[in-house]
Amino acid sequence: MAILVTRPAPDNEKTAAALRARGYGVLLSPMLRFEAAAFDDDGETAFDAVILSSANAVRAIEHHPVRPRLILLPVFAVGGYTAQVARDAGFTNITIADGDAVSLRDRVIESATAGKLKKKAKLCYLAGADLARDLGGELGARGFTVVTRTAYRMIPVAGFSDAVSDAFRAGSIEAVLHYSRRSARAYLDAARADGVEISALALPQCCISETVAGVLREAGAMQVAAARTPDENAIFDVVDRTVKASPG
């Protein structure tokens, strides 16, 4: 039996290793594929800080001309993992939020209130092509100037591998991990395309947040549980509770 991890590469490997350390078998089925997006930079705009709502934003500028300028600036990272990826890439002054866009917005506001950031700071928001929340607009309403650069896109994967489809049919998957609304939707689309929708929805669905869980519930999944906080340790707790509660 295995846990199906739908998280995109390369982060899924970290998740798989942590699950194996807990004694679980793992199947990887990334439902979104990372692709860096080209964006223009005039080389002259003086930013005061950088906003990172995903580790993918760091990867997206690895070879971009803007990187040397941004890496010197304070960074607001959505969570601990994004902060670590940023740190590994060379960023040093990092403020860490609690894993969601609301806390990320609040960290920026708190920093300005505390005098650590100018109250009308110009912020470079390195974003994905599909935004779940208008973070730039919310900060703009607070007096900040937010320049949003679409630095990457996550492309849905059309279907499961033969190994994963066979595992659905063999009943050898015991739970599924979901890390975003878009990857959850891609999972559902792939299940329909591969003719395993009934099996895919019947399994326990372990989700990083209630927002993600809602996608599975709306699709008809009956065993859906969300992490108490949007971080990996919390979703692993969901896996532990779910698997222990499953018959057999």
Side-chain angles (χ1 to χ4, degrees):
M1 298 292 282
I3 306 297
L4 185 70
V5 177
T6 64
R7 193 179 194 185
D11 297 330
N12 58 356
E13 293 290 353
K14 169 181 171 286
T15 300
L19 285 169
R20 292 185 183 112
R22 287 174 174 248
Y24 294 108
V26 179
L27 264 178
L28 296 181
S29 185
M31 300 314 308
L32 299 174
R33 176 174 56 83
F34 168 82
E35 182 179 275
F39 64 90
D40 293 331
D41 176 63
D42 59 18
E44 297 178 359
T45 303
F47 294 112
D48 297 299
V50 182
I51 298 175
L52 302 172
S53 60
S54 169
N56 287 317
V58 182
R59 299 178 182 119
I61 63 165
E62 181 179 1
H63 303 294
H64 197 285
V66 77
R67 182 181 182 276
R69 290 199 301 126
L70 298 186
I71 209 162
L72 302 174
L73 299 175
V75 167
F76 294 90
V78 69
Y81 181 65
T82 298
Q84 185 58 56
V85 172
R87 195 173 293 112
D88 292 344
F91 290 94
T92 56
N93 184 354
I94 303 173
T95 299
I96 306 173
D98 296 331
D100 56 37
V102 173
S103 65
L104 182 57
R105 176 202 65 197
D106 291 346
R107 288 292 184 278
V108 175
I109 295 169
E110 289 164 5
S111 185
T113 301
K116 298 177 182 177
L117 182 70
K118 291 193 297 188
K119 290 189 176 179
K120 293 187 178 181
K122 181 170 285 188
L123 309 172
C124 179
Y125 176 22
L126 297 174
D130 297 277
L131 299 176
R133 190 181 189 96
D134 184 12
L135 184 60
E138 292 177 21
L139 287 170
R142 297 294 191 114
F144 298 96
T145 298
V146 181
V147 179
T148 301
R149 303 296 194 201
T150 300
Y152 68 95
R153 58 181 62 88
M154 301 302 293
I155 301 169
V157 175
F160 299 122
S161 67
D162 289 343
V164 171
S165 292
D166 290 345
F168 277 117
R169 295 187 174 94
S172 57
I173 298 172
E174 55 186 340
V176 187
L177 261 63
H178 300 281
Y179 282 74
S180 75
R181 289 172 59 87
R182 291 193 70 230
S183 64
R185 292 192 186 102
Y187 168 81
L188 295 169
D189 290 342
R192 294 184 192 106
D194 285 9
V196 294
E197 184 177 11
I198 294 174
S199 298
L201 286 174
L203 291 166
Q205 316 290 328
C206 305
C207 305
I208 194 73
S209 69
E210 282 292 346
T211 303
V212 177
V215 174
L216 283 308
R217 292 192 184 104
E218 289 170 10
M222 300 301 292
Q223 300 182 72
V224 184
R228 292 189 177 96
T229 55
D231 62 80
E232 193 152 73
N233 285 332
I235 200 173
F236 289 159
D237 288 343
V238 172
V239 174
D240 290 341
R241 293 196 305 271
T242 298
V243 172
K244 288 175 183 176
S246 297

